[in-house]
Amino acid sequence: MPTSDYDPACLPDLLPLYYRRLFPFSQYYRWLSYGGVSKNYFQNREFSFTLKDDIYVRYQSFTTQNELEKEMQKMVPYKVDIGAVYSHRPSQHNAVKSGTFQALEKELVFDIDMTDYDDVRRCCSAADICSKCWTLMIIAIRILDRALREDFGFHHLLWVYSGRRGVHCWVCDDAARKLSVAARSAVAEYLSLVKGGEETLRKVVLSDPIHPFINHSLSVVERYFQQYAIVEQDILCSKESVDKVLALLTTHIKKDLTIYYQDEKNPMKRWDRLCTNKAFHQGRLSSIKKGGQYFDKEIMLQYCYPRLDVNVSKGVNHLLKSPFSVHPKTGRISVPIDLKELNTFDPFEVPTISLICEELERPRADEAEEDDVKDKENEQEAGERRRIRDYKRTSLAKYVKVFDRFLEAMARSWKGEMLKKSGELETSFSVFLTFMSFTYT
Amino acid sequence: MQFSGRRKKLIGNFQNDLYDQCLQFYGQPPLENISLTEFETFAVERLKLLKTVENVGVSCVKNSEQYTKKLDAEISSLNFPHRGGISEYEKRRKDHISHFILRLAYCQTEDLRRWFIQQEMDLFRYRFNCLHSKHKTDFLHKNNLKYETVSAEEKKNLKDKLIASSYGLSGTKVEEHDVYKVPFQDALDLVRTRKVYLLAGNAYIPHHEIVTIVLNDFRTRLSKALAMTARSLPAVQSDERLQPLLSHLSHAYVGQDYSIQKNIGKISLEQIDALSGKSFPLCMRHLHKALRENHHLRHGGRMQYGLFLKGIGLTLEQALQFWRSEFVKGKVDADKFDKAYAYSVRHMFGKEGKRTDYTPYSCMKVILSNPPSQGDYHGCPFRHSDPELLKQKLQNYKVSPSGINQVCPTTSTHLTRFSTVCVKGFLKLNLVEDAGFSLNHPNQYFTESQKFLSGGRDIKKEVDMSQRSQENPASVTHPSQANSKQAHEEMGDLDSFFQDE
């Protein structure tokens, strides 16, 4: 499918069309209402918009789906961010007594940005990505998805392509939304293995015993490492990149490999030599520092393990780019990623706003009769139907389907929660009342 | 006002159920009637215990032999429940009631709450660790800590993973001891550092680590409870029987009160200047200097400094001479002094009016009561002085620059730490590593400093219980009440008597 060339200058014309006919408001509203289990959940949610000329407005909130639509169609935001659910309507936060306006809940989120891997990828840098380094995102998603589900017991994860150089994860379980700042940061730290900035050479340090989480992550990395790092990234080819790898090793091993690499140019053979060096040195206790026997694993992790920004995950009030938002620089829609098709997900195939707007304009003959019948229904529904028909005509369709499936799975849990809530008694005051009966003579 | 001499007798069975556990979470407030006597006694004794917990925690390594011995001794002597012995009903009842009374006294400010929670947590940790393993599990179950133990089969399946994730866990330990399944939100410290095995949102905590989890829970519950208590406090405080005691509990100093002057007449007036440089805490040194420079001190300063001097051993005659000689150098002539100021000095020594022998102010009292205003020199410099001025003062007193930085409190320093900081000043001045005491009273600073300088450093004795007995025949207050309560009440009269400046 040819991708229409996207020109940022067209955004002011394309966005109104997008918000009128393509943005999946109905599913979006359904998501953020979370089944109506908590009152005013949608109404107290903060949105922020970046408008034309980089004007940024916070504390936007809406009472109904209709209001959300109308406002977005009116303001035509270039970027939409989602924030926390507050104690009061964000749009009225100034009217609230200072100190009482507080962020209460929000999804647990993760942001994986390709730029954070610049020290270990050779193909691209900064905001660029290519099919070679995209593997890093696949690895990140597999590792984090498994950990969040199996270790932490979360079920409702939405992975979204950011539109340019990374992916986001929205953990939408009720328990996740209620996590405190401390809990969020603990989860993020648990998931972090690559530590250190410019100054640190050896960013991954493993010691005995290796935690099961690290073992799980290693098995994912090992699946991809050879093809990704040795072949595609070619980390053991040029002197420069070989030196970077050797810098992570002890002097003994470095010496041995330098000599070996003088003759052996095949990268795969070079890697093998590196790995077997462990066995070679097994007998020599002096060269095995505490945990120093895992240097091959450490290298693999340093080159491939997900790097997440703890600060994004920590804050309850942190604002993150909304799914189905448009990326102004690339024009790509932030679409949900279907994990079942992860291996074939191609960020360059993700539709741009220009593409889908163009697809919208292409008439489809077989639809003509259906239109007449359905327009007889009430206007809003008709409008919605039109819109549903609309996106279905475009490349956006399959991504909205992914979103639908995600919502369906959550909807089942909402039902359960509604039942639970009606049976709950308020116990918080019983202690208070008991205390008040404490008497003395 | 009805005072009941005896408490209500409880039915036997109820007794057993209510206090069948040595340790408790204090979830339910006591429901019985108690006498005012017991109310006061229980509260003061628990406060003593918590003070000991604090002191011992500062001076010994927690859970060391020394720590254990001291705390054990204090718990026994104060009659609190101890190591789950049989027929501890009375002690457990006291434990229960006294905790709730102190909640009333310590819920009011952030600082008080923090202190109370910290000491209660340390006490709880100590007592929990003393429990037998079986009792620990019983405790968890009885207190709705929904921490199930992992079945033997699951343990077997997960054995390798458990060993690989938890510190100090071996194969045998996994088999023999319990492993608890705790929601990960309750074990954040272990999760953050990846020191625990996680599965389906649960952390698998080995037996020896469960106390940390339990403590977190304890802290959360107590914190919430105190917030709630603070809200309902106005109702309680309006009861005039309780209000004085509660407010004094939170200011109470329950250590030595220096009303018994050990060194009467051993200090000569000529020594005071030198002593002020060496052995006076900063507040008194400050007052002394101000007195020498201005030949005057206002009422607050006279009280704080005058009583301190009494505490270090000055006789009434010496005090009169001291104050007169200084005031006369200023604007006050001998006649005026005898008329106006001498009376107050004699009053301090219990020779006038109600003839109460006033006790020198404790640090708590200095810090919390009567903050200084323009023209005053009393108070606690670490609490009341402008930080810049404080630094300058310390420089003048020849404390090294690095010492100054360590000693000066920051905005986050809270109430009970000011005395710690004062002690640090002592350390810096005398170039010592460990003071060996935690400071509660300016006169204590003086005594310790003198001890140190004279080369005789013996381990600080346990709080002298004899201070409870009244030396003063003139007082009519209840023997079990904290001395400062009485002092404060009387102080009110004295304050209103002297209206000057």
Side-chain angles (χ1 to χ4, degrees), chain A residues 53-309:
Chain A
D53 299 326
D54 269 334
I55 299 173
Y56 183 66
V57 290
R58 269 194 74 176
Y59 300 112
Q60 304 299 296
S61 62
F62 313 98
T63 42
T64 59
Q65 176 186 330
N66 204 26
E67 193 187 321
L68 172 73
E69 285 185 40
K70 293 273 180 305
E71 285 301 306
M72 281 177 72
Q73 282 153 8
K74 192 169 74 173
M75 297 172 87
V76 191
Y78 277 38
K79 281 196 252 184
V80 181
D81 288 344
I82 300 178
V85 176
Y86 282 82
S87 51
H88 305 78
R89 291 191 194 177
S91 56
Q92 297 170 349
H93 73 284
N94 285 319
V96 176
K97 194 166 72 166
S98 120
T100 43
F101 179 69
Q102 286 182 2
L104 298 178
E105 295 189 15
K106 193 176 72 73
E107 294 75 10
L108 172 63
V109 294
F110 297 93
D111 181 354
I112 319 286
D113 191 330
M114 199 73 87
T115 331
D116 294 337
Y117 294 79
D118 279 357
D119 60 315
V120 289
R121 55 174 183 150
R122 301 182 60 222
C123 49
C124 314
S125 70
D128 296 326
I129 63 167
C130 70
S131 54
K132 286 198 219 157
C133 48
W134 180 255
T135 314
L136 290 170
M137 293 294 109
I138 298 182
I139 295 174
I141 294 175
R142 292 221 184 278
I143 289 179
L144 296 177
D145 195 76
R146 183 215 69 83
L148 289 166
R149 285 180 198 280
E150 290 178 18
D151 293 9
F152 288 98
F154 295 126
H155 298 110
H156 305 292
L157 277 63
L158 182 70
W159 286 94
V160 180
Y161 172 54
S162 75
R164 190 159 65 151
R165 62 186 183 197
V167 294
H168 301 156
C169 179
W170 295 76
V171 186
C172 301
D173 294 55
D174 185 66
R177 284 179 276 131
K178 294 183 154 72
L179 288 177
S180 64
V181 171
R184 286 163 207 258
S185 101
V187 174
E189 301 269 359
Y190 175 93
L191 297 170
S192 298
L193 271 181
V194 181
K195 307 214 168 125
E198 302 271 319
E199 308 295 303
T200 323
L201 280 178
R202 199 170 150 221
K203 296 190 164 79
V204 180
V205 180
L206 297 179
S207 53
D208 250 340
I210 297 194
H211 191 281
F213 164 76
I214 300 181
N215 274 328
H216 278 297
S217 310
L218 267 170
S219 56
V220 174
V221 168
E222 278 163 3
R223 263 175 24 219
Y224 291 91
F225 184 76
Q226 294 206 354
Q227 179 60 24
Y228 164 73
I230 308 298
V231 176
E232 288 172 2
Q233 291 290 321
D234 228 2
I235 63 172
L236 287 179
C237 184
S238 73
K239 181 172 185 329
E240 192 198 332
S241 56
V242 168
D243 281 345
K244 270 197 181 152
V245 176
L246 292 183
L248 306 173
L249 300 164
T250 60
T251 1
H252 275 116
I253 305 177
K254 224 189 303 203
K255 234 193 315 189
D256 174 271
L257 290 178
T258 316
I259 299 171
Y260 183 83
Y261 287 4
Q262 270 168 1
D263 297 323
E264 182 56 71
K265 301 291 174 198
N266 180 312
M268 208 57 93
K269 292 219 167 80
R270 284 178 159 185
W271 175 248
D272 282 338
R273 178 76 184 196
L274 191 153
C275 293
T276 54
N277 233 282
K278 172 172 56 185
F280 183 64
H281 283 282
Q282 204 77 34
R284 302 203 200 165
L285 293 164
S286 56
S287 63
I288 298 182
K289 293 180 271 192
K290 184 166 167 242
Q293 69 265 43
Y294 296 124
F295 54 82
D296 56 333
K297 300 195 200 289
E298 287 173 2
I299 291 176
M300 287 195 277
L301 291 173
Q302 182 151 338
Y303 275 81
C304 299
Y305 184 86
R307 295 157 182 230
L308 31 103
D309 185 351

Side-chain angles (χ1 to χ4, degrees), chain B residues 72-210:
Chain B
D72 257 0
E74 185 75 0
I75 291 177
S76 304
S77 82
L78 288 171
N79 262 321
F80 278 99
H82 191 59
R83 297 181 181 276
I86 25 154
S87 64
E88 281 214 322
Y89 172 77
E90 285 303 323
K91 299 181 183 177
R92 292 175 190 180
R93 178 178 165 268
K94 174 165 152 173
D95 178 46
H96 185 207
I97 295 175
S98 61
H99 172 88
F100 275 89
I101 300 175
L102 287 191
R103 275 198 199 178
L104 295 173
Y106 280 85
C107 65
Q108 296 177 66
T109 70
E110 192 57 49
D111 284 334
L112 290 173
R113 277 188 252 195
R114 219 179 308 171
W115 183 87
F116 183 66
I117 291 175
Q118 182 62 50
Q119 312 321 322
E120 285 283 344
M121 271 181 63
D122 282 347
L123 179 63
F124 184 91
R125 180 192 294 116
Y126 174 75
R127 291 168 66 191
F128 186 83
N129 280 333
C130 288
L131 291 176
H132 282 308
S133 168
K134 182 184 175 310
H135 291 150
K136 279 186 184 153
T137 318
D138 280 344
F139 178 83
L140 293 176
H141 289 164
K142 288 241 163 71
N143 284 282
N144 257 335
L145 282 168
K146 299 184 188 87
Y147 303 155
E148 314 155 15
T149 48
V150 173
S151 71
E153 194 182 323
E154 199 181 350
K155 267 199 285 182
K156 205 165 68 164
N157 292 337
L158 297 175
K159 188 161 89 161
D160 292 329
K161 301 211 164 104
L162 291 174
I163 296 172
S165 16
S166 298
Y167 176 75
L169 202 55
S170 66
T172 25
K173 273 200 187 155
V174 172
E175 277 167 46
E176 289 173 1
H177 295 163
D178 285 330
V179 175
Y180 295 92
K181 227 179 351 187
V182 169
F184 84 87
Q185 293 91 329
D186 292 352
L188 290 181
D189 286 330
L190 292 171
V191 171
R192 181 192 312 275
T193 49
R194 217 182 294 115
K195 288 205 164 85
V196 70
Y197 178 64
L198 277 190
L199 185 64
N202 287 315
Y204 285 66
I205 316 265
H207 192 90
H208 61 275
E209 300 216 25
I210 199 70

Side-chain angles (χ1 to χ4, degrees), chain B residues 6 44 126 164 333 354 384 403-404 446 449 459 469 478 497:
Chain B
R6 302 169 291 130
V44 170
Y126 174 75
D333 60 45
K354 269 192 224 167
H384 296 125
I404 291 180
F446 180 80
S449 167
I459 303 163
S469 61
H478 208 282
F497 194 92

